[in-house]
Amino acid sequence: RKVRKLYQNRILAGFAGGTADAFTLFERFEAKLEKHQGNLLRSAVEPAKAWRTDRARRRLEAMLAVADLDNSLIITGNGDVLEPEQGIVAIGSGGAYAQAAARGLIENTDLTPEEVVKKSLTIAGDLCIYTCLLYTSDAADEGLG
């Protein structure tokens, strides 16, 4: 699956890019989540320091989109950690289309978050030949607090 729940179902993570590289990113990120007891920000930022000196890590051709109930981040295969504007995370070939569509829908409609996601992905799929129109939707659990 391209999207999965991590750390007691509290964190959603999805990938774009090369599958083998993405699974490498998933494994490293998931290990940090366990080490830092599900702290999303620390689990994403701490490895970025070591990333810069590890030649094998620097060239991963994948990106992760990760989110919990409070934060949304993009982790690149270059070791960069980005916090998207307005919490709208979009990666992959149709990411810019989906992000623009989501922003427009959020600012101009009263759609639910799930409806915004579905409509944004449909728009991206219509505009980008590399974006699949088949998708699944998932949400992180609130967990134990």
Side-chain angles (χ1 to χ4, degrees), residues 9-29:
N9 294 332
R10 293 185 195 172
I11 295 175
L12 282 179
F15 76 88
T19 305
D21 288 348
F23 283 114
T24 300
L25 279 176
F26 263 132
E27 288 172 6
R28 291 177 178 169
F29 178 68

Side-chain angles (χ1 to χ4, degrees), residues 65-77:
V66 297
D68 63 12
L69 294 174
D70 300 314
N71 301 289
S72 300
L73 303 170
I74 296 171
I75 303 170
T76 71

Side-chain angles (χ1 to χ4, degrees), residues 32 36 41-54 57-58 78-81:
K32 293 299 179 184
H36 297 296
L41 292 174
R42 191 163 179 205
S43 299
V45 173
E46 183 198 276
K49 299 171 191 171
W51 224 288
R52 309 260 181 221
T53 59
D54 186 340
R57 287 187 194 186
R58 280 195 311 233
N78 296 324
D80 296 320
V81 179

Side-chain angles (χ1 to χ4, degrees), residues 14-16 63-65 74 89-96:
F15 76 88
M63 299 177 96
L64 290 183
I74 296 171
V89 177
I91 58 175
S93 56

Side-chain angles (χ1 to χ4, degrees), residues 94 97-98 119-133:
Y97 299 115
K119 287 189 178 292
S120 298
L121 290 174
T122 300
I123 290 168
D126 289 343
L127 296 172
C128 176
I129 62 170
Y130 301 108
T131 299
C132 181
L133 288 171

